[in-house]
Amino acid sequence: MRSTATQGETSSPSSKQSSYRQQHGTAKRTRIIRIIGRSLLGVIFLVGLAIIICWLVVVPKTPRLIVETGNVIVHSSTHNMLKATIVFTFRSYNPNKRATIHMYSMRMIVNSIGERFLSDIPSFTLTPENQTVLSSAVRVNFEYPFGFNEEIDPELRFSAEVSYSINGWMSKPRLLEIYCNHLLLKINASTTFDNTKCKVDL
C-alpha cells in the first residue's frame, strides 16, 4: 500500500507541470495575437484620423469655371438647319490656398433642340490659387425650332473627374458636373460674356 501511494504522489506533479505549460503557452499566444490585433487597429485608426484631420483642415473648395467667349463658325445653314462649329473659351480657377486640383476625363457637352454634342478636354492641374484658360470646340448639326434665327441658345455643360492633393496625399477621384446657362450666341460671330459663372456640382 505504501508503494502504490508513492507512485501516485510522484506522477501528480509531472501531470500538473505539463498542464501548466500548455495553459501558459496558450495564454502567451493569445496575448501576442491580442497585441498584434490592437496594434493593427491602432494603426488603422491613426491613419483614418490623419486623413479626416487633413480633409477638415484643408476644407477643399470646388473649382470655379467662368465662360468668357463663344464663337459660332457656320459651315452651312438653311431656313431650318444649321451645321457649324461652336468654340467656347473658359477660365478655370482653384480657390484653395493649400490643395491642388486635378481634373481628368473632362468633357464639354452642348445640348440644343434635343441634340447632344460632345468634345473631350485634356486633363489639367490647378495649383493653389491659380487659374488656366481653356478652349474647346464641338461640331453641331441641328434644326432650328422656328425657322432661321440669328442667335442660338444652347445648354452648356461640363463633366469631369476631380481629385485633390496636398503634401503628397491625394483623394480619390469624384464626379464633377458643371452647368452654364443663358449663353446666347450670335450666328457666324464671336460673343463675349460678362464673366458668366457656372454652377459646380460635386
Side-chain angles (χ1 to χ4, degrees):
M1 293 181 67
R2 291 181 180 177
S3 177
T4 303
T6 303
Q7 288 180 358
E9 290 175 358
T10 55
S11 62
S12 178
S14 175
S15 176
K16 288 181 178 180
Q17 290 178 0
S18 176
S19 176
Y20 172 77
R21 284 195 297 267
Q22 290 178 358
Q23 292 178 0
H24 181 70
T26 302
K28 186 176 181 180
R29 286 193 296 271
T30 302
R31 187 167 59 252
I32 293 173
I33 293 173
R34 287 178 178 175
I35 292 173
I36 294 174
R38 290 173 180 174
S39 300
L40 290 175
L41 288 175
V43 171
I44 294 172
F45 174 77
L46 290 176
V47 171
L49 184 62
I51 292 175
I52 293 173
I53 292 175
C54 179
W55 189 261
L56 291 176
V57 170
V58 174
V59 188
K61 301 177 182 178
T62 57
R64 297 174 186 170
L65 194 142
I66 298 173
V67 182
E68 295 187 334
T69 62
N71 190 12
V72 180
I73 304 170
V74 177
H75 303 304
S76 65
S77 64
T78 63
H79 70 284
N80 63 349
M81 182 68 67
L82 173 67
K83 294 182 180 180
T85 297
I86 299 179
V87 183
F88 282 104
T89 301
F90 53 94
R91 177 163 41 95
S92 185
Y93 172 68
N94 179 5
N96 295 284
K97 294 182 179 180
R98 297 177 60 188
T100 297
I101 297 177
H102 307 272
M103 303 280 278
Y104 312 98
S105 306
M106 190 171 187
R107 278 186 170 184
M108 183 177 75
I109 305 167
V110 177
N111 292 306
S112 184
I113 322 301
E115 299 288 339
R116 188 174 182 231
F117 308 95
L118 307 174
S119 177
D120 293 328
I121 300 172
S123 301
F124 61 94
T125 298
L126 291 171
T127 54
E129 297 185 317
N130 205 347
Q131 65 181 0
T132 184
V133 177
L134 301 167
S135 181
S136 184
V138 61
R139 293 180 66 91
V140 299
N141 180 9
F142 55 81
E143 294 183 1
Y144 290 108
F146 307 109
F148 181 78
N149 292 315
E150 294 184 355
E151 295 178 329
I152 57 175
D153 185 17
E155 297 177 1
L156 178 62
R157 182 168 66 89
F158 297 89
S159 68
E161 290 185 351
V162 60
S163 61
Y164 297 87
S165 65
I166 179 172
N167 297 332
W169 173 81
M170 181 174 290
S171 67
K172 292 182 179 180
R174 298 175 60 187
L175 180 63
L176 179 75
E177 296 283 348
I178 303 172
Y179 303 92
C180 309
N181 300 320
H182 309 297
L183 301 175
L184 195 62
L185 300 174
K186 297 179 181 178
I187 300 296
N188 224 6
S190 179
T191 304
T192 301
F193 302 104
D194 187 17
N195 292 328
T196 301
K197 295 181 180 180
C198 302
K199 179 184 177 182
V200 180
D201 186 9
L202 181 59

